[in-house]
Each structure stands twice: as C-alpha cells, then as structure tokens.
Amino acid sequence: MDNYSNDNTARRYKANVSIFGTTLIHLRNPYIIAWWSAAFPGFGHLLLSKYFRGYALFIWEVVVNIKAHVNLAMVYSFQGDIAMAKEVLDTRWLLMYIPVYLFGIWDSYRTTVDFNKGYILADHEDHRFNSFSLGPGEINYLDNRNPLMSVMWSLFVPGLGQLYIHRILTAFFVIVWVVVFFYQSHALEAVSLLFLGKIKEATTILNPEWLLFIPSHYGFATFDAYMNSIENNKLFEKEQRKYLIEHYQSKGFRILKGQKVK
C-alpha cells in the first residue's frame, strides 16, 4: 500500500487514513442517521464523523436532560404516574432542550443527504487517497476486520469495538462517557448486589436518571463499530483492487462480454 497524504489535488476524497482513525464517506440512509439523533442527540453526527458537532450535542443532551429531569419524568411516565412526571420537569431547562433536540435530528438528516451526493461524485472521480499513516504515537492502515468481533467487544464495554477498528476519537469519547454513566447510575453496584441475591437493595441504589443513558450508549457503540467495520472492509477491498490493477494487470488486458479471450 502506498504511503502518502491527501494533498488536495482532488476535488473530493472518499477517505482519509490518519493516526486518529479512518474517516470515510459512503452512502447512508438519512432516516437511520436521523433516528440515532432522536435516540440521543449527537449520535447521528458521530456516525457521520462530524466529531465536534456530535460532541457538543451529546454534552448538551446530558447536561440539559439532567437539569430538566427529562429521564426522571420518563421513568414516572412508564410507571403510569403522569402527575409526578409533570411535577419533576423543570421548564426553565426543558424549553431550551426541545429546539436543540429537533436541530440535531434535522441537521444530521440534512448532512447525510449532502454526504450521499458528495460520495457519488467522489466515487465517480475515484481519486487516490492515503491508505497508511505512521506517526510517533500511533500507526493506522487499511485492512480487513471482523464485524462480529467489533460487536462482541462493544457489548463487553462500549468503545472497545471502536478501538478494534481504530476509530480513536469516537472510542475515547464513548469510553469516557460510559464510565460516567456507570458511576453516576450505580449500575455496576446494583449488578453486584443482584449476584448476592439482594434484589431490593439493588433496585434502591440505582439512579434512573443516569441509568436511562446506558442502553442508547450501548446500542450506538455496537451499531457504529459494526457498520464502520463493514464500510472499512469495502474501502480496503476497493483500494486493493485498484492497486493490483494499476501495478500488475497488463495494459492490454480486456474482458470481452460474451466472448472467450484466447
């Protein structure tokens, strides 16, 4: 594989391999990305590798959700206690929460549509991109990874699947926040108590406001690792195919449809 950087000689690139990870654009379903933004603001943008925007929306969701007691109100709603759900909501924060929540969904959908158009043009241009990155602190390169391994490690601890496929920026962010969620929700303490048969204590110690963040976090980490494993594999195969054709295939090689080549 050639080792060179994207030098702006192309109008559009399909991918960039750096020490922080492999960033690529590919065709995505805008509704799926918007759905992840609805599940948790910021997730849709992180799937698109729009890291800073995704980080900002994610942190906004955590801070404002806790201040407005949105998750706590959801817990009371699930229990059928609508009056208590209304009582715990803090409208001073809630009225700020709603517009940003809707913006995250809309912006991730819009960005996905734009990226799909950009990918079609970049794929048509088919310009070369760097496939190997070597730095003083890290090495990254295109190769095949097993998507099921990505899923398995993500289910153990969110973020490990991203480390496996070298999505360092997403991995670091996901791992830090899963530690915060586990600590604040006392989820692991509750699991320990369950193993000891202390079901009532396990239920009492849980903090539902923070606990409700964990399922979305697990789901996102697993989906992101699986999807990007597949797309990285496709990119690797295309890059290898192009390299082999350019360096090993005879210039006079032709495949004639419906005819045997002698």
Side-chain angles (χ1 to χ4, degrees):
M1 289 185 281
D2 297 329
N3 182 8
Y4 53 89
S5 60
N6 294 352
D7 54 7
N8 292 324
T9 57
R11 189 176 185 191
R12 292 177 177 86
Y13 291 96
K14 289 188 292 186
N16 180 65
V17 176
S18 73
I19 61 173
F20 297 109
T22 301
T23 304
L24 67 153
I25 57 173
H26 57 87
L27 293 177
R28 296 178 172 91
N29 187 330
Y31 294 104
I32 296 296
I33 301 299
W35 185 89
W36 277 110
S37 291
F40 205 116
F43 280 168
H45 291 85
L46 291 178
L47 287 169
L48 297 172
S49 297
K50 300 279 288 184
Y51 295 113
F52 296 131
R53 196 174 303 184
Y55 295 163
L57 289 169
F58 184 99
I59 294 170
W60 172 274
E61 162 68 14
V62 174
V63 172
V64 180
N65 187 309
I66 292 298
K67 292 293 184 180
H69 305 296
V70 174
N71 281 355
L72 189 58
M74 290 174 61
V75 171
Y76 285 122
S77 296
F78 296 154
Q79 296 173 344
D81 193 346
I82 305 302
M84 194 62 188
K86 293 179 181 179
E87 181 69 23
V88 298
L89 282 174
D90 188 337
T91 54
R92 294 175 300 174
W93 288 92
L94 184 64
L95 295 180
M96 288 193 295
Y97 177 86
I98 296 173
V100 178
Y101 180 82
L102 295 176
F103 169 81
I105 299 172
W106 170 81
D107 188 64
S108 63
Y109 179 91
R110 176 196 63 81
T111 304
T112 306
V113 172
D114 288 344
F115 277 7
N116 285 347
K117 295 175 183 177
Y119 171 77
I120 293 172
L121 295 172
D123 190 52
H124 180 74
E125 186 174 355
D126 200 21
H127 197 279
R128 298 173 68 189
F129 57 88
N130 62 316
S131 57
F132 191 100
S133 181
L134 176 65
E138 191 58 86
I139 302 172
N140 186 28
Y141 52 90
L142 284 180
D143 68 340
N144 271 313
R145 301 290 169 89
N146 187 338
L148 295 181
M149 291 297 293
S150 299
V151 170
M152 183 192 74
W153 287 114
S154 295
L155 292 176
F156 278 129
V157 176
L160 294 184
Q162 280 72 21
L163 284 180
Y164 171 63
I165 61 174
H166 205 94
R167 280 174 63 81
I168 302 299
L169 295 176
T170 302
F172 178 78
F173 191 80
V174 169
I175 289 172
V176 168
W177 278 100
V178 79
V179 171
V180 173
F181 294 153
F182 273 134
Y183 182 82
Q184 294 291 344
S185 67
H186 303 283
L188 297 183
E189 294 174 66
V191 170
S192 300
L193 290 170
L194 280 175
F195 285 144
L196 296 173
K198 299 178 181 180
I199 299 176
K200 185 176 181 180
E201 291 182 39
T203 305
T204 304
I205 200 174
L206 283 174
N207 185 333
E209 281 195 284
W210 290 92
L211 183 66
L212 286 187
F213 289 130
I214 294 178
S216 298
H217 212 63
Y218 261 95
F220 164 76
T222 304
F223 177 80
D224 177 80
Y226 178 79
M227 181 197 69
N228 280 288
S229 297
I230 292 175
E231 294 302 330
N232 283 358
N233 290 347
K234 291 179 182 177
L235 186 68
F236 169 74
E237 291 168 4
K238 286 182 180 179
E239 194 276 337
Q240 284 290 82
R241 186 185 304 117
K242 185 175 181 179
Y243 177 83
L244 293 173
I245 289 173
E246 290 179 351
H247 291 81
Y248 294 98
Q249 183 170 292
S250 170
K251 300 296 182 183
F253 179 80
R254 294 289 185 274
I255 296 179
L256 303 177
K257 187 177 181 180
Q259 300 181 30
K260 293 183 178 180
V261 180
K262 298 182 180 180

